Amino acid sequence: LIFPLFLYFEKKAEDPVINLSYFKNRQIVVTLVLSFLSGVILMGTIFVPQFAENAVKIPTGSGGYFVIVLGLFAGIGAPTSGRLIDKFGVKPVLGFGFAITILAALFVIFVAIPSPSVFAVIVALVLMGLGMGFSLGTPLNYMMLENTKKAESNSALATLSLIRSIGTTIAPSIMVAFIASAGMLMQTNVAEVLPANMTVPGIAHADEVTAAFAALKDNPLLPAEYADYQFPDYSQPREFPMTMQTTATSGTLDPSVIALIQSSDVTTIAANTHTFYASIFDLFIPQVVNLVTNGVQNGVDGMNSAIMGLNGAIAGMNADLTVLAEIRTELAALNSSAFDGTEVLSLASAMYVNQLSSETFTYFSQVTTLDGFDAVVTNIESTKDAMASTVIDMQTLITALVGFQEDLPVEFGIGVSNYLDDIDGRSVAIEGAFQDTLNQGFHNIYLTTMAAGIFGFLLLQLYQSPEKRKSIKKDTSEV
């Protein structure tokens, strides 16, 4: 961005960093652009360790050993290129270097990435090393020196090196972006090969809960709104989507677990994925279980309160029935099958009003016959029996719900264990997803180096050595 400003001050400098006259010479400009491209190509090699580790599935840090192959053949190519330059000239040698670089990139893209193996990686590195040896250093230095004055050789080579450094500065930013872009897809791509759902087995007491709840819903003593309530069917296995979003749970994963998954390589991604999901389950499953069990417990507490109320009502009815039996004996002593309600009410008021509940006592205002009295007693006994039956139904449901609560965390634990086992069983697929995703980044990196190689090879065709230019000039003069 500040390059124009740099040029402005360079023009006024007595001793400029860069001799601006170089940019007026087409051959030097071609050489400098080739030097920039060589810097771009050179930066493709810094990803060799990571590429090798991902390709052959070895731990992080082990890929550095593969650089030995690269360095060895670069060391072979460099002196060889120098000798060939003396024999054939710089242009065909540098062109051969770019061609080998292009071939290396093609081999990586179409062979080493789709079919990774130690052999494929070594072949790719051999080609990269030879391409570096034939295109970096000697040929470009030779081209720069043959187009500048001998007195400027140090400055000329420094300029060449500076331009190459610009290439080595810009290229990694682009190439790292390719890796980062692939990394952004990593979580999604790995998740696609994982089980979509966690399956929780049927809860052992769920059938008992369902049956007891159905029986209770048919009880006429319960409010009508209970008839529409549906208790979830947990008797069958239930699937919980791993992508399901919920606001019912909260919490934050341990930063060390997040760091673990972020630092994974192809050899650790499967185990780290297991650890990652185990941590998610450890954090959220207890919350889910508590959410369900707390809801069940609220129901149990409500029914226990209802049972206490029903038992109190039953005890009151039993007391009333005892008193009513005494009244019935007194009425039978009257030896009359018909009498008006005033007599009954008067007798009850005089002898038993303080021993009956107000609700039972109220019934007497409607009784005018002995048969009517007996009907009231029968109705009270029927209501008491219905309440007692309701208590039994509630106690049965409570027993089933308590068993359900106890079994719920066990079955969820089985579901979690099965899911984690499934992750372990898919380790090869997980590693493959990781490898393929990261390879997208490497594909783009070596596509960039191939593009630089192609552009360099084509640009090289514009270069003419001083001897060639003199030859052309002489031929032109003769013509």
Side-chain angles (χ1 to χ4, degrees), residues 31 78 81-82 85 90-91 93-94 132-144 146 160 463:
T31 303
S81 68
I85 288 173
V90 68
K91 189 172 179 178
V93 173
L94 184 55
M132 287 175 56
F134 276 85
S135 60
L136 298 178
T138 303
L140 292 171
N141 291 345
Y142 191 97
M143 292 168 63
M144 194 67 181
E146 72 176 358
L160 186 73
Y463 179 79

Side-chain angles (χ1 to χ4, degrees), residues 6 20 119 138 164 195 200 203 214 251 255 276 290 328 336 356 371 377 382 388 404 437 463 467 478:
F6 171 73
L20 298 182
F119 176 76
T138 303
R164 182 188 294 115
V200 176
I203 310 302
F276 180 74
N290 287 338
R328 181 66 175 80
S336 175
L356 293 172
D371 290 340
V377 173
S382 176
F404 177 88
T437 303
Y463 179 79
E467 292 79 7
E478 290 176 354

Side-chain angles (χ1 to χ4, degrees), residues 235-250:
S235 61
Q236 300 299 318
R238 295 175 66 87
E239 291 187 343
F240 292 83
M242 295 306 297
T243 56
M244 181 175 62
Q245 305 229 350
T246 176
T247 57
T249 56
S250 61

